[in-house]
Amino acid sequence: MTGQQERAQGAETFRMTSPIPPQITTAARVESSIGTLEYYDGVPTPETANRVWDNLDTIRATEVFLSGIPGASMASIRRGLREVGATGSTVGVFEDLMDSRSLFLTANSETIYFWNWMDLKDGPVVVETPANILGVVDDFWFRYVTDMGNAGPDKGKGGKYLFVPPGWQAPVPEGYFMVRPPTFGNLLFGRAFMQDGNTGPGVASLKAGLRVYPLSASAQPPATRFINLSGKVMNTIHANNIDFYDEINEIVQEEPAGAYGPDMTGLMAAIGMVKGKPFQPDARMKKILVDAVAIANATARSIDFASREPAAKIYPDRQWNTPFIGGSYDWLADGARLFDARTMFFYAATIDTPAMAVAMPGIGSQYAAANFDAKGNALDGNATYRLHVPANVPVKDFWSVVVYDPQTRSMLQTDQQFPSLSSARGMKLNDDGSADLYFAPARPAGGDNWIQTVPGKSWFLIFRLYGPLQPWFEKQWKLEDIQRLP
């Protein structure tokens, strides 16, 4: 330290000098995880300031990724739906179920999905629903807006819903379940159900009773068109590279300023995403974004596949995780946002509704995910595994298992059209009502219930309960861990 620095840091005493607590001062040289930080009497050197600014931009860009996953996922879903034409008064229906050719985050192959991108920029939109469906509308940031059908205000009897855009002041008619989403862009999603393994009745019910049209055309509504999405090659997965930020910027530019709240809007603005302005990162910022997205993607994957949160475990002594930590569809606990819990869900899944998160016996669905075998090892596509499912699974409707690819978080692509097994579709049960499910590259001897895996790839699965009953919520009935066989 030079003499000048010593004097500046209090080596000399003056008439008004008082004791300075050391914890409020900054040394001339500080070692940190981002390197050596240097100061002249607390003033950062230019080199230190530049290093800190780069680090701050990296932190903010990382947080934009982690908290922006829901929006980027929705932007990708919109892109996929636009490509197949499932927008406006056209609804896409997986009439023959969804198979592994379509890239959707942890979708299932057991229910009849319908999808529609609902844009309110031209005014309110009416949605008429048939009976006995599970329907949800989520906004452009993938926040819950409303349920429709069995878990909605129509109680599964069917009804008319009116979706009014942000800032809409004109009078609206009565006779609707009126909903005011905070964004113009919204996802209309739902499920109808098979009957005795047949999709026909559920599809027919959708086509007979589901209508989407502008309120302005309610006197003579245009016909709702349905397109079959089964077998289509579609990608609805958000990017894990720098393109992710362009997906987020789409929403920033299209939606009302601050629609994601002031804090997230501020973080996005800090890295150059401002409504009404082009997002044009310079060479320095592009380098930072590339680094930040690599860190953030690794973070999201660690949160999802190697959670450190004890509350993620459904049973403390087993490998099954819940996608809704804390049982909250908005990831809140005692007034605090559970950021990692939100990331865990949206990095691997879509559709936000209380019907999936809150204990509602007999209604909706519940989920249990397994990323590891009984010994805590990642699931290996070269090996053979068995899942023993005890008898009397507590469901009103049915249960299923679907296998997924950790890379895409979509259905694992093998020779099997549907990488899944369901109690509603010909599963072989043991004499006591239990079931043994096998996972291997080739069908093992005695493996009547078999899902194919891919050598050289990992996999994970989700166990779904449709119409879950009280023993599930009270853990009176428990899943066993996946066992690797010799």
Side-chain angles (χ1 to χ4, degrees):
M1 185 182 298
T2 67
Q4 183 182 22
Q5 287 176 310
E6 289 177 350
R7 288 192 297 275
Q9 295 198 10
E12 296 185 8
T13 301
F14 296 90
R15 185 168 63 89
M16 297 300 294
T17 298
S18 64
I20 304 297
Q23 67 268 24
I24 71 171
T25 64
T26 300
R29 186 181 179 90
V30 177
E31 299 300 329
S32 78
S33 62
I34 62 171
T36 302
L37 307 176
E38 296 182 320
Y39 306 85
Y40 171 67
D41 198 22
V43 178
T45 64
E47 294 78 12
T48 291
N50 289 335
R51 177 173 292 163
V52 169
W53 286 125
D54 285 353
N55 183 61
L56 183 59
D57 286 341
T58 302
I59 291 172
R60 286 172 170 164
T62 300
E63 186 54 45
V64 166
F65 183 100
L66 294 174
S67 291
I69 289 171
S73 183
M74 190 65 91
S76 300
I77 290 172
R78 180 178 70 168
R79 180 180 61 242
L81 295 181
R82 281 179 167 176
E83 287 175 355
V84 297
T87 62
S89 291
T90 299
V91 178
V93 181
F94 283 89
E95 297 184 18
D96 302 301
L97 305 178
M98 184 188 294
D99 63 31
S100 60
R101 285 169 289 192
S102 298
L103 299 179
F104 283 75
L105 290 175
T106 53
N108 75 65
S109 57
E110 313 304 323
T111 55
I112 305 162
Y113 284 128
F114 64 87
W115 301 76
N116 169 267
W117 185 255
M118 182 170 57
D119 194 333
L120 305 178
K121 287 185 178 176
D122 292 329
V125 170
V126 176
V127 177
E128 298 181 16
T129 62
N132 192 32
I133 64 165
L134 285 174
V136 182
V137 171
D138 288 335
D139 79 358
F140 213 153
W141 289 110
F142 241 131
R143 294 171 298 193
Y144 170 71
V145 174
T146 190
D147 284 302
M148 298 180 292
N150 296 352
D154 67 278
K155 305 300 183 184
K157 298 177 182 179
K160 289 186 176 182
Y161 291 77
L162 180 63
F163 293 89
V164 179
W168 185 262
Q169 299 296 328
V172 293
E174 297 181 353
Y176 297 91
F177 297 111
M178 193 175 76
V179 187
R180 291 184 179 272
T183 58
F184 293 105
N186 297 271
L187 176 66
L188 168 62
F189 162 87
R191 299 182 300 212
F193 300 97
M194 291 189 288
Q195 294 182 16
D196 299 322
N198 181 11
T199 62
V203 173
S205 174
L206 287 176
K207 291 184 176 181
L210 182 62
R211 298 288 181 267
V212 184
Y213 54 86
L215 176 64
S216 59
S218 58
Q220 291 183 315
T224 298
R225 177 172 171 256
F226 294 89
I227 54 175
N228 186 4
L229 300 183
S230 292
K232 288 190 178 293
V233 176
M234 299 175 61
N235 174 35
T236 66
I237 312 299
H238 66 77
N240 282 323
N241 61 12
I242 194 172
D243 295 341
F244 176 94
Y245 298 102
D246 291 320
E247 293 169 344
I248 291 293
N249 189 53
E250 289 179 30
I251 314 176
V252 172
Q253 300 305 326
E254 294 183 28
E255 294 297 340
Y260 201 11
D263 292 338
M264 272 305 300
T265 301
L267 284 171
M268 293 183 290
I271 63 170
M273 298 180 194
V274 179
K275 184 174 177 62
K277 296 183 179 180
F279 176 53
Q280 296 176 330
D282 58 18
R284 167 190 165 274
M285 197 62 192
K286 284 182 179 179
K287 181 179 179 181
I288 286 172
L289 294 177
V290 168
D291 184 43
V293 79
I295 295 169
N297 182 50
T299 303
R301 286 185 171 274
S302 298
I303 289 170
D304 223 294
F305 295 105
S307 175
R308 65 179 182 180
E309 174 53 64
K313 286 188 174 293
I314 296 175
Y315 320 105
D317 60 340
R318 306 186 188 190
Q319 300 296 335
W320 294 95
N321 289 339
T322 173
F324 284 99
I325 294 176
S328 169
Y329 71 92
D330 50 6
W331 293 274
L332 289 173
D334 297 324
R337 184 78 66 194
L338 304 178
F339 291 110
D340 288 357
R342 184 174 65 184
T343 296
M344 172 184 279
F345 178 83
F346 280 108
Y347 193 74
T350 58
I351 311 305
D352 184 17
T353 166
M356 295 195 298
V358 180
M360 301 172 66
I363 299 176
S365 49
Q366 287 284 303
Y367 306 81
N371 303 319
F372 303 107
D373 66 15
K375 295 183 178 179
N377 297 317
L379 299 165
D380 182 355
N382 297 283
T384 299
Y385 297 85
R386 180 181 63 225
L387 171 62
H388 180 74
V389 181
N392 302 314
V393 180
V395 291
K396 184 184 73 174
D397 301 318
F398 67 97
W399 60 271
S400 74
V401 165
V402 184
V403 169
Y404 298 98
D405 181 340
Q407 285 283 3
T408 64
R409 292 92 71 209
S410 301
M411 292 185 213
L412 187 68
Q413 296 180 332
T414 65
D415 292 330
Q416 294 176 324
Q417 182 181 9
F418 302 112
S420 60
L421 292 164
S422 168
S423 66
R425 287 201 295 167
M427 182 181 294
K428 183 177 180 180
L429 300 180
N430 300 322
D431 292 341
D432 64 355
S434 65
D436 289 305
L437 281 54
Y438 293 87
F439 311 87
R443 185 189 296 272
D448 295 286
N449 305 317
W450 167 63
I451 298 179
Q452 187 177 17
T453 59
V454 180
K457 280 193 65 63
S458 186
W459 55 275
F460 70 99
L461 66 78
I462 293 179
F463 189 100
R464 288 176 168 86
L465 302 93
Y466 292 92
L469 300 177
Q470 200 64 36
W472 169 257
F473 298 106
E474 295 180 356
K475 298 183 175 62
Q476 296 170 348
W477 182 94
K478 294 183 179 181
L479 279 165
E480 297 183 12
D481 277 331
I482 300 169
Q483 301 287 340
R484 181 168 178 160
L485 301 182

